[in-house]
Amino acid sequence: MSAELNEVLMYPIKIRAKLDQNECPLKPPKVVLESIKKSLEVINRYQTSMLFNYILELYSDYCNVNKNHLFMTPGIDVIFEKILHYMRGKTILVTKPTYFLFEEQAKQFGVKLEYIVLQEPYFSLELDAIYSRLKKIDMIFLANPNNPTGQYVLDQKEVQELIEEFNGPIIIDEAYYEYGGKTAIQMVENYDNLIVTRTLSKAFCLAGIRASFIALSKNLRNLFFDRIEMFRISTPTLLASKAALENRGYIKHVVAYTERERNKIFEGLKKMGLIPYPSVTNFLLVNTKMEGLQGYLYSKGILVKDLSNMMGSTFIRVSVGLPKENDLFLEETKNYLNLKLSTSEI
Ligand SMILES: Cc1ncc(COP(=O)(O)O)c(C=O)c1O
């Protein structure tokens, strides 16, 4: 793995475990890789609207939402950009913590953020806290499940109540939908103010291909997207998405694998006395109860996400990797813990 990451992705250090970006550690099936190769046969040609529309039809069949409510973009950040462009100077309600990229992009666009702090022990969202702020805000963004907490902040019924109560747009980011299986996506056919985002980066194992989807009302779709924007998706991405959606049976194996390994990491950390939080995603939020673990792991070639700025100096986020990456992470975490105990720093 390290050779690929160094030679192809040009990582400057020798990486032994890559657990920092919530990617799928498994490769997509051969049929998807073959389809990407096939795209090279026509790489001198432009993409076609027929191919783009066919993929929207496949996604429509997958998520059970009419194709006229869907669009595809190269990354969810492109969707955020589109929406944030209309929100300059306005106020958006987000949870604390929330998906860091949305927060950063919102700041870039001069959007004000109103925070609701998620409550321990499980980082849950108190609905009353949202309702009491509805008059002060112009839009709501919720990652559901949330990154970095790994848990749902609202169930479907609560999403529906909120859409009915609030007049402004509500974005529900369902990047991790496949792992937990709860969705609000079909509601876009009935509610004009709901926007749902999805991706092929996680359970479909295609982070590098940049294929993301948005579901929303026809009016909003026409406001945000011009038809010519379909030409932003490259032919390799279109063909990868086509094969992935046509052969989507593989995602249930990815989800089962992820659950198994996630439980292993969860139990391993708990046994060491650290605090992993329950998760319905492909990653775990962990209160390590000691400072410096992320830096130590980095020095051993193990990448995890440092959350000290977002959640406090003892928090990290770790993605589910290959079995040997997860074992290595547990082993080196144990070593660090022993090191700390021997110098009685904790
Ligand atoms: C909540 C959330 N939304 C979106 C994304 C990114 O999706 P994409 O790869 O489609 O841009 C991530 C990736 O980590 C995420 O955690």
Side-chain angles (χ1 to χ4, degrees):
M1 178 192 66
S2 182
E4 292 164 23
L5 292 177
N6 293 129
E7 286 161 27
V8 185
L9 290 180
M10 298 178 79
Y11 270 90
I13 62 159
K14 188 171 171 352
I15 293 167
R16 296 159 72 211
K18 183 164 176 357
L19 309 173
D20 59 337
Q21 286 187 298
N22 302 346
E23 298 144 325
C24 178
L26 309 173
K27 298 212 165 77
K30 217 166 157 197
V31 57
V32 177
L33 299 175
E34 288 301 323
S35 191
I36 298 170
K37 272 195 206 150
K38 202 161 178 189
S39 73
L40 302 182
E41 290 170 18
V42 289
I43 209 68
N44 55 322
R45 306 290 178 190
Y46 284 115
Q47 324 86 309
T48 65
S49 58
M50 288 75 81
L51 187 50
F52 183 87
N53 285 327
Y54 177 64
I55 288 154
L56 290 192
E57 271 166 33
L58 288 173
Y59 206 82
S60 160
D61 184 53
Y62 171 57
C63 70
N64 204 12
V65 170
N66 185 290
K67 173 175 162 268
N68 296 329
H69 290 269
L70 302 174
F71 208 73
M72 183 183 183
T73 61
I76 289 184
D77 52 306
V78 177
I79 297 170
F80 293 161
E81 230 174 71
K82 287 266 157 200
I83 300 169
L84 290 167
H85 174 72
Y86 288 89
M87 300 305 293
R88 267 178 215 282
K90 303 244 167 72
T91 304
I92 302 180
L93 184 98
V94 294
T95 59
K96 195 173 191 64
T98 189
Y99 178 40
F100 80 99
L101 197 58
F102 182 83
E103 211 174 341
E104 278 187 15
Q105 285 184 277
K107 286 178 190 161
Q108 266 175 20
F109 275 86
V111 169
K112 287 177 232 143
L113 294 174
E114 169 82 16
Y115 290 99
I116 293 191
V117 179
L118 297 178
Q119 299 299 320
E120 288 247 37
Y122 294 116
F123 297 105
S124 45
L125 176 62
E126 286 177 4
L127 269 182
D128 287 349
I130 299 193
Y131 283 114
S132 64
R133 288 166 163 95
L134 290 188
K135 287 210 167 65
K136 290 207 290 193
I137 57 166
D138 303 292
M139 190 176 110
I140 298 171
F141 170 80
L142 297 171
N144 201 37
N146 188 32
N147 176 5
T149 57
Q151 297 166 57
Y152 289 110
V153 286
L154 293 183
D155 65 28
Q156 282 125 306
K157 199 164 145 280
E158 290 168 330
V159 172
Q160 184 164 0
E161 277 167 19
L162 193 59
I163 306 168
E164 289 175 357
E165 196 64 32
F166 183 56
N167 289 327
I170 303 179
I171 307 179
I172 306 283
D173 183 345
E174 295 186 353
Y176 301 95
Y177 154 71
E178 282 80 10
Y179 301 97
K182 288 188 192 169
T183 181
I185 202 163
Q186 282 103 26
M187 290 183 218
V188 300
E189 293 191 348
N190 300 321
Y191 295 97
D192 279 354
N193 56 339
L194 177 64
I195 297 167
V196 175
T197 53
R198 292 271 192 92
T199 184
L200 301 193
S201 296
K202 307 297 175 186
F204 281 91
C205 317
L206 285 167
I209 210 81
R210 311 311 296 128
S212 316
F213 291 86
I214 178 169
L216 69 181
S217 73
K218 288 181 211 162
N219 286 345
L220 283 183
R221 187 183 112 146
N222 294 340
L223 175 71
F224 294 143
F225 299 101
D226 192 296
R227 299 289 298 161
I228 56 167
E229 289 182 53
M230 69 174 72
F231 293 107
R232 291 192 178 164
I233 316 276
S234 72
T235 308
T237 299
L238 289 169
L239 282 198
S241 307
K242 176 174 177 285
L245 290 164
E246 281 174 341
N247 298 281
R248 58 183 176 264
Y250 73 94
I251 58 178
K252 66 173 184 293
H253 302 292
V254 171
V255 170
Y257 166 83
T258 306
E259 261 176 42
R260 254 192 337 266
E261 285 294 309
R262 189 182 67 210
N263 290 342
K264 181 178 89 184
I265 303 172
F266 186 95
E267 292 306 325
L269 291 171
K270 233 170 78 177
K271 230 187 258 165
M272 289 178 221
L274 314 193
I275 307 175
Y277 291 84
S279 166
V280 288
T281 63
N282 64 347
F283 61 86
L284 287 165
L285 172 69
V286 188
N287 184 351
T288 67
K289 303 207 303 191
M290 53 190 171
E291 292 184 358
L293 177 63
Q294 184 266 336
Y296 172 83
L297 292 174
Y298 185 83
S299 74
K300 301 284 174 193
I302 300 166
L303 305 184
V304 298
K305 173 96 172 161
D306 170 34
L307 296 177
S308 49
N309 286 339
M310 205 187 268
M311 304 201 60
S313 57
T314 61
F315 281 85
I316 63 163
R317 191 195 68 199
V318 58
S319 319
V320 173
L322 294 170
K324 66 171 189 271
E325 294 180 288
N326 304 331
D327 293 344
L328 193 64
F329 161 73
L330 288 172
E331 188 187 313
E332 288 294 354
T333 299
K334 184 97 201 272
N335 289 344
Y336 186 67
L337 182 65
N338 288 340
L339 201 72
K340 284 278 195 186
L341 287 172
S342 69
T343 53
S344 56
E345 278 185 46
I346 47 175

